Amino acid sequence: MPFKAPANPKCPKCGKDVYFAEKATAMGKDWHKSCLKCGKCNKVLANGGFLEHEGTPYCEKPCYGALFGPAGYGRGGGVESHKDFGSGSNALLRK
């Protein structure tokens, strides 16, 4: 009987094989390190440095709080994250 290597897990983001050297385990699945990104700002996330909502990872501080936190999160009551900061949409920053 010939040797058959065990199948590699599939990345939930891209669907390709995840090899041990490029593996990041999060939310009970194996991801490519480059595929484990914030669902809002697309920032690459570190293991344990994010929160999950409906199967999608988000940056722990700015993005998750802006999307799913209490109303008024951030500066002045608007919904924002670090991706939106300084974009000119924040009236408090204009003079």
Side-chain angles (χ1 to χ4, degrees):
M1 180 191 290
F3 173 75
K4 186 174 181 183
N8 290 316
K10 303 284 185 191
C11 176
K13 178 87 172 188
C14 69
K16 296 180 182 177
D17 287 344
V18 178
Y19 298 100
F20 182 78
E22 59 190 8
K23 179 171 74 169
T25 303
M27 301 183 303
K29 298 175 184 169
D30 293 326
W31 303 65
H32 293 112
K33 291 177 184 175
S34 60
C35 288
L36 185 58
K37 296 181 180 182
C38 175
K40 179 170 173 40
C41 71
N42 237 12
K43 175 183 165 187
V44 176
L45 303 169
N47 281 346
F50 62 91
L51 294 172
E52 175 264 335
H53 183 78
E54 295 180 355
T56 304
Y58 293 94
C59 297
E60 185 173 0
K61 296 283 182 189
C63 293
Y64 185 87
L67 291 171
F68 310 110
Y73 178 89
R75 293 166 291 281
V79 175
E80 60 187 57
S81 73
H82 58 87
K83 184 177 180 181
D84 302 325
F85 183 75
S87 65
S89 64
N90 190 340
L92 293 177
L93 295 177
R94 289 188 223 137
K95 291 191 178 192

